Amino acid sequence: MEIVVSGGRIPINLNGETGEYFRTYKGLRQGDPLSPLLLNFVGDALAAILQKVKESGVITGMITELGEGDLTHLQYADDTILFIDHTS
């Protein structure tokens, strides 16, 4: 059984600016076979949450010219890009 990684420090990159580092307490080793499966669970949950809050009017997406409705996010591999209107 593999041991989870503990005691790491990571930052969040938002709009090209790296924030302060914060401590991580649990995680998987890089290359662990469970990583893609867990990433899919989290990505699907995030997509469902964003869709639900968009439908309830809490957030407004952007890029409306692509089709019906508006775009709130794109997910590919291990990347997520949010397109949320922050002016309202």
Side-chain angles (χ1 to χ4, degrees):
M1 173 181 268
E2 290 190 41
I3 299 173
V4 297
V5 176
S6 63
R9 292 172 33 94
I10 61 169
I12 299 290
N13 184 329
L14 183 61
N15 294 330
E17 294 184 26
T18 302
E20 293 183 29
Y21 281 76
F22 61 92
R23 197 168 151 77
T24 59
Y25 293 96
K26 294 182 181 178
L28 296 174
R29 293 183 184 273
Q30 186 171 359
D32 190 296
L34 282 178
S35 293
L37 180 63
L38 293 176
L39 180 68
N40 285 341
F41 286 148
V42 172
D44 288 348
L46 176 62
I49 291 168
L50 289 171
Q51 182 64 32
K52 193 169 252 188
V53 295
K54 181 181 97 169
E55 289 171 356
S56 67
V58 174
I59 63 172
T60 304
M62 301 174 67
I63 311 177
T64 57
E65 63 273 3
L66 290 179
E68 191 174 317
D70 49 2
L71 184 64
T72 57
H73 65 285
L74 289 175
Q75 293 176 310
Y76 179 76
D78 62 350
D79 294 323
T80 298
I81 302 171
L82 300 177
F83 299 99
I84 300 173
D85 186 7
H86 71 286
T87 59
S88 45

